[in-house]
Amino acid sequence: QVQLVESGGGLVQPGGSLRLSCAASGSIFSINQMGWYRQAPGKERELVATISSGGSTNYADSVKGRFTISRDNAKNTLYLQMNALNPEDTAAYYCNAVVILAPSFGTYAYWGQGTQVTVSS
């Protein structure tokens, strides 16, 4: 099994910054795409950013230029640096990873439990 544990959420004022982390552990052979998604109350979960194993990135238009996704493959850890936060960024943020398991080499997608980000003055 694989566990994804997010951290780094919290309360921040408009214009502030936060850095989210997501650590993957368990029976991991390798990890393909990783990503951050968010879900605000009453809304559907939406993509924030994704990153391939090779480092190619993709961002939602709403966060381009403000958020940066990165990963440390040696540590199986995903990051999201969030700058210039505004109240519309308030949501639960979820980590997603497409994992190749050891020793079966089966490929599965996993989700973290979420971390809350609240942007308010």
Side-chain angles (χ1 to χ4, degrees):
Q1 268 293 1
V2 172
Q3 296 79 40
L4 302 180
V5 179
E6 298 110 332
S7 60
L11 174 64
V12 63
Q13 292 186 342
S17 298
L18 283 175
R19 189 190 194 209
L20 305 183
S21 299
C22 171
S25 62
S27 302
I28 299 171
F29 175 77
S30 66
I31 303 178
N32 288 341
Q33 181 171 282
M34 303 184 80
W36 290 99
Y37 294 74
R38 66 186 182 186
Q39 187 168 18
K43 294 187 176 182
E44 294 187 352
R45 190 172 296 188
E46 64 176 5
L47 180 147
V48 175
T50 61
I51 184 168
S52 71
S53 57
S56 297
T57 58
N58 177 57
Y59 295 92
D61 288 343
S62 60
V63 307
K64 282 181 181 176
R66 300 187 299 122
F67 290 10
T68 301
I69 190 170
S70 61
R71 62 191 285 175
D72 184 332
N73 291 331
K75 296 181 179 179
N76 288 334
T77 300
L78 177 70
Y79 304 98
L80 185 68
Q81 178 67 43
M82 304 185 293
N83 299 328
L85 285 160
N86 59 61
E88 289 70 40
D89 296 316
T90 295
Y93 283 70
Y94 297 90
C95 170
N96 173 269
V98 178
V99 178
I100 300 176
L101 299 178
S104 67
F105 300 107
T107 302
Y108 298 92
Y110 292 90
W111 290 92
Q113 82 287 351
T115 185
Q116 180 67 36
V117 172
T118 302
V119 185
S120 175
S121 55

